[in-house]
Amino acid sequence: MNFFITCGLLILHVSSSAGQRYAERNPLPLDPSLPDENYYDEDYLEGYDFYENKDIYRWNVDEFPHPQEMYKFCNRLKPSYVCDPDQVLEKEEADKLDTFIKQLYTETPCICDDCRNETGGIIVGIALLKHMFQPYNQHPAKTIRTFAQTLRENWNLGKCDNDILIVVATTDRLSFTDVGKETSYYVSLNEAHRIFLENKANFTAGHFYEGLRAMLSDYYTKTRTMKKIQKNEDKLNLGLITGSIIAAVVVLGILLFLIFLFYRYLKRSKDEFPILKTKNFPP
């Protein structure tokens, strides 16, 4: 009898300890801290599965497929710039995004140092997923940022960091846009964040195609503007250089003319007042 009682107490102690460890690892938030269901933004803790639903698959960044090399796993029929393994978009919607991405690439100038055999400039990649793997000891804001940065490096769509990668975890309600170094001269990381915020309403409403399409349109407009500014700056610099050369020539001409006038003046003065030579007379 004492043996069974001892076993029962031991089981209760183990269950209690395990339950305590689980509670510490998965703290349930208080009701006031729960996010608004209509909120959707970067860098915000949302969509955490505190109950560890085993039916939900969370993507690890190293397992996420490449749209050019593993396009079938991206729910695409041919090499693409859109990877949608969880089928967030309709096929026709992904096709339209692909077409616009290619248009953006071909209509922007090459921004790499070596532009041989290059037919375009900025390339955009889109990664759509429902859930991403989120470590318990890391804030989701950092997780989505690290996921996007690592995935952009893994995909390596550009030739010289001339790319932009948009990552949207639809059910986790997290998004981040990472920008390559060369692209940042045209579209900075802050500008990419601003573009997302301006189109946040579409993502909040679950209109992911419309939101992505609007972001691509903003990138297209931004690169057109930057191209014009760069072109005007080149014209301005060329004008300054040309003007400086002309001014230097004019100043040099004036100096030479003044020197010539001064020389004539000295010569005329010498002719009008010749220097008398002294003679020595005998005593």
Side-chain angles (χ1 to χ4, degrees), residues 125-127 148 151-152 155 157 163-167 176-179:
I126 296 175
L151 188 63
R152 190 185 66 81
W155 282 11
L157 296 177
D163 56 342
I164 299 173
L165 180 63
I166 305 171
V167 178
F176 190 81
T177 303
D178 194 37
V179 178

Side-chain angles (χ1 to χ4, degrees), residues 144 151 162 205 263:
I144 185 65
L151 188 63
N162 55 319
Y263 172 76

Side-chain angles (χ1 to χ4, degrees), residues 23 36 48-49 66 114 121-122 127 150 170 215 217 222-223 257 275:
D36 185 355
Y48 232 105
D49 182 28
H66 194 294
D114 184 4
I122 297 175
T150 305
T170 59
M215 288 182 69
S217 179
K222 182 64 179 177
T223 52
F257 180 72
I275 299 176

Side-chain angles (χ1 to χ4, degrees), residues 52-283:
E52 294 186 338
N53 190 337
K54 301 300 182 182
D55 295 332
I56 295 177
Y57 183 78
R58 295 174 178 80
W59 285 99
N60 188 298
V61 65
D62 293 326
E63 298 174 349
F64 201 80
H66 194 294
Q68 294 283 311
E69 302 171 0
M70 307 171 64
Y71 54 89
K72 291 184 179 179
F73 295 96
C74 289
N75 195 33
R76 307 294 292 137
L77 298 178
K78 59 183 179 179
S80 171
Y81 295 102
V82 179
C83 190
D84 183 19
D86 294 335
Q87 300 183 15
V88 176
L89 301 176
E90 298 292 336
K91 177 185 176 300
E92 294 75 13
E93 293 175 338
D95 290 341
K96 291 178 181 178
L97 292 178
D98 251 331
T99 300
F100 201 77
I101 289 173
K102 293 175 182 177
Q103 180 184 354
L104 175 64
Y105 174 69
T106 56
E107 295 189 12
T108 49
C110 175
I111 59 177
C112 298
D113 293 335
D114 184 4
C115 291
R116 291 175 297 179
N117 301 323
E118 290 295 328
T119 58
I122 297 175
I123 189 70
V124 178
I126 296 175
L128 289 167
L129 59 152
K130 290 184 178 179
H131 296 278
M132 53 181 282
F133 176 74
Q134 301 186 40
Y136 290 105
N137 60 344
Q138 189 177 86
H139 193 282
K142 183 177 180 180
T143 302
I144 185 65
R145 183 186 298 267
T146 303
F147 188 100
Q149 292 172 344
T150 305
L151 188 63
R152 190 185 66 81
E153 294 176 358
N154 291 347
W155 282 11
N156 193 26
L157 296 177
K159 301 296 183 182
C160 62
D161 279 345
N162 55 319
D163 56 342
I164 299 173
L165 180 63
I166 305 171
V167 178
V168 182
T170 59
T171 305
D172 288 344
R173 302 173 71 82
L174 293 167
S175 177
F176 190 81
T177 303
D178 194 37
V179 178
K181 181 180 178 181
E182 291 299 324
T183 307
S184 64
Y185 295 114
Y186 286 78
V187 182
S188 67
L189 192 62
N190 290 335
E191 185 71 12
H193 180 64
R194 182 192 64 79
I195 289 175
F196 169 79
L197 292 179
E198 289 181 351
N199 298 284
K200 184 179 69 175
N202 285 314
F203 294 93
T204 302
H207 302 152
F208 301 110
Y209 166 73
E210 289 78 4
L212 292 168
R213 179 66 175 80
M215 288 182 69
L216 291 176
S217 179
D218 289 343
Y219 286 136
Y220 184 87
T221 303
K222 182 64 179 177
T223 52
R224 299 283 81 70
T225 304
M226 292 301 293
K227 182 179 179 182
K228 290 179 181 178
I229 292 175
Q230 185 67 32
K231 187 175 181 181
N232 289 339
E233 288 178 351
D234 291 341
K235 287 183 177 179
L236 180 60
N237 292 334
L238 180 60
L240 289 174
I241 294 173
T242 304
S244 300
I245 294 174
I246 294 174
V249 171
V250 171
V251 171
L252 181 60
I254 293 174
L255 289 175
L256 291 174
F257 180 72
L258 292 176
I259 292 172
F260 174 75
L261 291 179
F262 184 70
Y263 172 76
R264 291 289 302 273
Y265 171 79
L266 292 178
K267 186 177 181 180
R268 185 179 303 128
S269 299
K270 184 177 180 181
D271 294 337
E272 293 178 355
F273 303 98
I275 299 176
L276 298 177
K277 294 182 179 181
T278 60
K279 295 182 179 181
N280 295 326
F281 296 96

